[in-house]
Amino acid sequence: MANEINNFQEIISHCKEYGYIFQSSELYDGLSAVYDYGQMGAQLKKNLRDEWWKSMTQMHDNIVGIDAAIFMHPTVWKASGHVDNFSDPMIDNKDSNKRYRVDHLIEAHVATLDKESGEALIAEMDKLLAADDLAGLKSLIESNKIKCGISKTCNWTDIRQFNLMFSTQIGSVAEEADTIYLRPETAQGIFVNFLNVQKTGRMKIPFGIAQTGKAFRNEIVARQFIFRMREFEQMEMQFFVRPGTQMEWYNYWKDTRKKWHESIGIPTEKLRFHDHVKLAHYADAALDIEFEFPFGWKELEGIHSRTDFDLSQHAKYSKKKIQYFDNDLNAEGKAYGNYTPFVVETSVGLDRLFLTVISLAYQEEKWTKEDGTEDSRVVLKIPAKIAPTKLAILPLLKKDGLPEIATELLNECKPHFHCFYEEKDAIGKRYRRMDAIGTPFCVTIDHQTKEDNTVTIRYRDTMTQERIPISEVKNIVAKGCM
RNA sequence: GCGGAAGUAGCUCAUUUGGUAGAGCGAUAGCCUUCCAAGCUAUAGGUGGCCGGUUCGAGCCCGGUCUUCCGCUCCA
């Protein structure tokens, strides 16, 4: 395990050194738990997003994609339950480090009092809670000498509002502005557009709506590099089904999503399902697809059977009817008719997927050369189809007309996939640099190229090379990246 | 958020008890030409994380702060 932690440190360093991930605002000492993707990382992330998007929208006739805004009407988050469930004032005891919800702490104390003084205290608390008077609540706790159940002391921290949602104001004049939230999940953008998409796309159940985009959570503790960030990107698909069929689809997506992860090179033994024992208020079944990260098994994707909770809640809060008329015939030969569809959700963290791919790809290799000396390299074995750069074009020397031939090949290839051109330094050094950023193919132009139009292609994973006609390069690389 | 540790060039690290910073690698330019990082020459780079204090003088001592790591805690 210690070894794996060290390895994780090296992965983080490597990501910075080769332009995959930088800490946000590093120039100003950084911003905690926020990261930027660099020139290589942005491309890898885009490739992962594109693969997912294609697998959902292009490969399924009954799934369409949308791109909802980050800002949404404030009532959306009341309907979804986010406002009520995640805005509790919390207080910590400094001696036991135990954290309490303020209302729970006071209510527990009230239980020890007689009826009259208990009710008075509750009334006082409710007044302060309604006024968001955190300092007042703290002095209420202190004046009543409410103690921590573990340390038995009154050594409390200040009370903090513990809301996972970021808020801001819409409109340029603060006083007139309404508070709105940065979405803590992308799913609600799909639910509120259910009718729009279903009607304009003439979608028939079962069908899905897919979306990728940023979400924001004000995590108290955010750690483990890009695993838990305050700003992150989700790739979600909500699949709308006939009530009663949700478990069938839940199992379908469970298998389908695991296979997809395997299709981008994640070994099956590094993936596992973890069924939720305690279900969230909206779910009747839920599981995580976990990946064995360098710091242990952690959630990569969530698959939830969300019942009709979300659509029903939005129907209730918006006072609009959100239903689907199903013309299909049931066993008795009658149409299924009007109902609120059930939802099976697949939700994968793009940043987590990125971390998965990078931690699998990162390898340090050592071997003994023919002359007996030791050699080593650091290589990112990113599967070719998602690698940020597909092909490096390297003239062996930067003279004798070799760069000219190389440039011609570059111009032929770059409309089709991402290429990198380099003529500086010894060829071995250039190969190692390409290994470090994960380029799967290198092609070297040498003097023989001028004679017979062949080049050397060198494969990243095996370090083997072979001679191929220069006219074949484009097709071989394109095929290798499918 | 609590406790512990750390922060010197892009990276890895030096700088004996306080006397105003060095190396290797890397990078850039040129030379060389050689299919797996290690040939030659030159150049660039640090207000020692930041702010303040003690001192004649602080990278070094003290306080605060930011960031990172480890352990708790939290994670709809």
Side-chain angles (χ1 to χ4, degrees):
Chain A
M1 191 67 188
N3 205 11
E4 285 166 353
I5 297 283
N6 289 342
N7 186 247
F8 187 47
Q9 300 303 340
E10 275 153 26
I11 291 170
I12 295 169
S13 301
H14 193 86
C15 281
K16 188 197 166 188
E17 192 170 351
Y18 289 94
Y20 274 87
I21 296 172
F22 309 120
Q23 194 179 10
S24 165
S25 317
E26 196 189 7
L27 196 61
Y28 293 96
D29 290 332
L31 185 61
S32 183
V34 185
Y35 290 89
D36 296 340
Y37 286 85
Q39 66 277 18
M40 300 308 297
Q43 186 66 49
L44 173 56
K45 190 179 169 195
K46 180 184 184 302
N47 292 351
L48 289 168
R49 189 195 295 115
D50 288 349
E51 274 297 313
W52 181 89
W53 186 258
K54 182 183 169 193
S55 79
M56 285 295 177
T57 64
Q58 191 173 324
M59 302 306 288
H60 287 89
D61 303 336
N62 58 344
I63 298 178
V64 293
I66 67 166
D67 182 16
I70 287 169
F71 293 147
M72 299 186 76
H73 193 284
T75 311
V76 167
W77 307 112
K78 289 200 177 78
S80 69
H82 285 84
V83 170
D84 288 338
N85 289 337
F86 304 104
S87 58
D88 305 313
M90 306 290 283
I91 192 165
D92 290 355
N93 184 274
K94 289 181 186 170
D95 297 312
S96 64
N97 288 334
K98 176 80 183 162
R99 172 170 296 151
Y100 296 90
R101 265 177 65 169
V102 168
D103 54 341
H104 288 179
L105 184 69
I106 295 176
E107 279 162 10
H109 180 69
V110 163
T112 68
L113 302 176
D114 62 72
K115 194 168 176 242
E116 194 179 328
S117 47
E119 278 171 3
L121 185 54
I122 291 284
E124 182 74 6
M125 177 184 82
D126 287 344
K127 204 172 86 187
L128 292 166
L129 278 175
D132 276 336
D133 185 351
L134 300 184
L137 281 164
K138 189 185 178 186
S139 45
L140 185 70
I141 288 173
E142 286 172 337
S143 63
N144 282 277
K145 298 196 169 49
I146 298 178
K147 295 185 177 65
C148 167
I150 293 170
S151 66
K152 314 288 182 199
T153 67
C154 298
N155 191 10
W156 297 107
T157 62
D158 285 341
I159 295 174
R160 289 176 304 268
Q161 197 69 5
F162 192 80
N163 193 337
L164 263 67
M165 285 196 291
F166 286 98
S167 61
T168 185
Q169 298 93 39
I170 201 159
S172 55
V173 182
E175 296 112 278
E176 294 173 12
D178 280 339
T179 296
I180 59 167
Y181 297 102
L182 274 61
R183 63 182 179 197
E185 63 175 26
T186 53
Q188 301 304 327
I190 293 177
F191 296 133
V192 299
N193 277 301
F194 169 79
L195 287 176
N196 286 338
V197 174
Q198 190 272 319
K199 288 186 189 307
T200 60
R202 297 159 52 236
M203 307 304 291
K204 288 203 172 70
I205 275 184
F207 73 94
I209 304 176
Q211 169 169 236
T212 71
K214 288 283 181 78
F216 305 83
R217 296 180 195 180
N218 200 359
E219 301 284 354
I220 302 305
V221 174
R223 256 202 240 150
Q224 283 157 333
F225 197 37
I226 58 171
F227 183 79
R228 177 164 287 123
M229 293 195 288
R230 298 208 158 96
E231 173 179 342
F232 60 101
E233 190 161 341
Q234 293 185 308
M235 304 194 291
E236 291 198 323
M237 193 281 297
Q238 309 292 335
F239 201 69
F240 299 93
V241 305
R242 189 179 293 149
T245 64
Q246 67 267 28
M247 284 316 293
E248 192 181 305
W249 286 108
Y250 177 76
N251 288 321
Y252 169 84
W253 283 111
K254 173 178 166 178
D255 292 338
T256 303
R257 292 303 304 150
K258 181 154 182 274
K259 284 195 189 110
W260 182 81
H261 289 295
E262 289 164 8
S263 80
I264 58 163
I266 305 176
T268 187
E269 66 272 16
K270 288 275 190 180
L271 293 167
R272 74 179 185 193
F273 295 119
H274 175 253
D275 290 312
H276 288 203
V277 183
K278 208 178 106 190
L279 293 172
H281 56 280
Y282 54 72
D284 69 355
L287 64 85
D288 294 338
I289 298 178
E290 294 187 332
F291 172 71
E292 191 176 15
F293 285 96
F295 42 85
W297 288 94
K298 299 278 182 186
E299 177 187 359
L300 172 61
E301 171 153 5
I303 296 175
H304 301 137
S305 175
R306 296 180 74 125
T307 69
D308 60 352
F309 176 81
D310 299 281
L311 292 181
S312 298
Q313 284 292 104
H314 287 304
K316 184 176 151 195
Y317 277 79
S318 66
K319 302 188 176 70
K320 307 260 168 47
K321 188 170 148 190
I322 304 180
Q323 287 199 325
Y324 173 81
F325 189 83
D326 192 335
N327 273 307
D328 284 0
L329 303 180
N330 61 19
E332 284 106 51
K334 287 182 180 170
Y336 284 97
N338 260 323
Y339 56 78
T340 303
F342 272 41
V343 173
V344 175
E345 167 188 82
T346 74
S347 173
V348 57
L350 176 51
D351 310 279
R352 290 181 179 185
L353 187 62
F354 185 107
L355 186 56
T356 297
V357 168
I358 282 284
S359 38
L360 282 170
Y362 181 87
Q363 287 172 32
E364 293 170 20
E365 295 181 344
K366 286 190 170 63
W367 65 92
T368 307
K369 287 194 287 192
E370 283 174 14
D371 63 4
T373 57
E374 295 291 310
D375 207 350
S376 68
R377 67 167 179 165
V378 172
V379 55
L380 290 182
K381 291 187 174 175
I382 303 171
K385 78 169 164 183
I386 49 174
T389 300
K390 310 297 190 192
L391 172 67
I393 298 173
L394 315 168
L396 188 61
L397 306 178
K398 56 178 164 183
K399 61 177 187 183
D400 301 337
L402 303 185
E404 286 76 5
I405 298 171
T407 306
E408 205 177 307
L409 180 61
L410 176 66
N411 288 334
E412 186 200 341
C413 290
K414 71 182 176 187
H416 304 282
F417 43 79
H418 203 281
C419 302
F420 184 84
Y421 178 82
E422 171 83 283
E423 58 186 31
K424 173 91 178 148
D425 292 319
I427 192 68
K429 194 169 200 169
R430 282 180 272 169
Y431 284 156
R432 295 304 164 83
R433 276 202 282 253
M434 290 302 103
D435 287 342
I437 63 170
T439 307
F441 303 101
C442 292
V443 157
T444 302
I445 288 88
D446 60 13
H447 291 97
Q448 197 185 325
T449 309
K450 295 206 289 187
E451 290 162 21
D452 61 7
N453 284 314
T454 62
V455 294
T456 306
I457 186 165
R458 182 263 195 189
Y459 303 102
R460 176 197 65 198
D461 294 353
T462 57
M463 296 176 74
T464 54
Q465 46 192 36
E466 56 186 318
R467 278 209 91 85
I468 58 166
I470 196 166
S471 56
E472 286 298 304
V473 170
K474 190 188 86 185
N475 288 338
I476 287 173
V477 173
K479 209 174 159 192
C481 294
M482 278 173 73

